[in-house]
Structure formats: C-alpha cells, structure tokens
Amino acid sequence: MARPYDRKILSSDLAHVSRAGLLDDWALQRAGRRGDGYVLVGTDEQGRVRETGQVQGWDIQAGWAWVTGTGLLRLGTPRSAIPSTGVTL
C-alpha cells in the first residue's frame, strides 16, 4: 500500500468503504496542470468519466483509494493489469 504524504489513513477512515463512491475502469495518471502527484481517471456510478483529486494513499488489492477533495473511493476494475508499476505517491 502506498503511504500518504500529508495525512495518516486510519482504520476508522476505511470503516465505511462499502458506502464510498465507486470508480471503475480507472487508470492512474500524472496530475498534469494541477501540480505534482497522481490522480485517478475512471467511470463513476452514473457512467460519467471523472478525474479525482490527488491520490493520497491506496490499496489496490483491498479496493480503495483516498483522494484529495473526495476522500475515500472504492476502486473497481483497473484499465491495466498492473496500474501502479513504478509509481511512488
């Protein structure tokens, strides 16, 4: 699991992951114009493509990500088999 750089993700933060918004068919991308770091781009529960805020921490195997602005998200299927190869948040 990647460690966040500005806040510690607590088990209490993850207690309600089943009720968090879903991001499916997602990919990790550089933040681009907004500065350093990475964002997730994927399809939300309404079928809209969206870009999240900066990823603060995640656990792909457990299926969650913590992002700036939104907080906790559930992760569905990634676009690539190994979406985090060589990535340090």
Side-chain angles (χ1 to χ4, degrees):
M1 175 179 94
R3 294 281 178 223
Y5 64 86
D6 70 344
R7 86 183 281 284
K8 184 176 180 183
I9 297 170
L10 306 171
S11 58
S12 60
D13 293 328
L14 304 176
H16 305 289
V17 70
S18 64
R19 293 187 294 214
L22 176 68
L23 192 65
D24 200 15
D25 189 33
W26 59 271
L28 187 68
Q29 298 179 351
R30 279 284 210 198
R33 295 188 309 241
R34 295 191 316 209
D36 294 334
Y38 288 90
V39 297
L40 296 169
V41 177
T43 306
D44 68 13
E45 294 165 307
Q46 288 76 39
R48 296 178 298 218
V49 174
R50 69 178 273 212
E51 182 176 303
T52 68
Q54 187 174 10
V55 177
Q56 303 294 307
W58 64 350
D59 188 330
I60 296 171
Q61 292 178 343
W64 63 266
W66 191 277
V67 299
T68 301
T70 305
L72 187 61
L73 285 175
R74 285 181 297 136
L75 296 177
T77 306
R79 289 185 191 160
S80 65
I82 308 172
S84 60
T85 300
V87 172
T88 300
L89 297 179

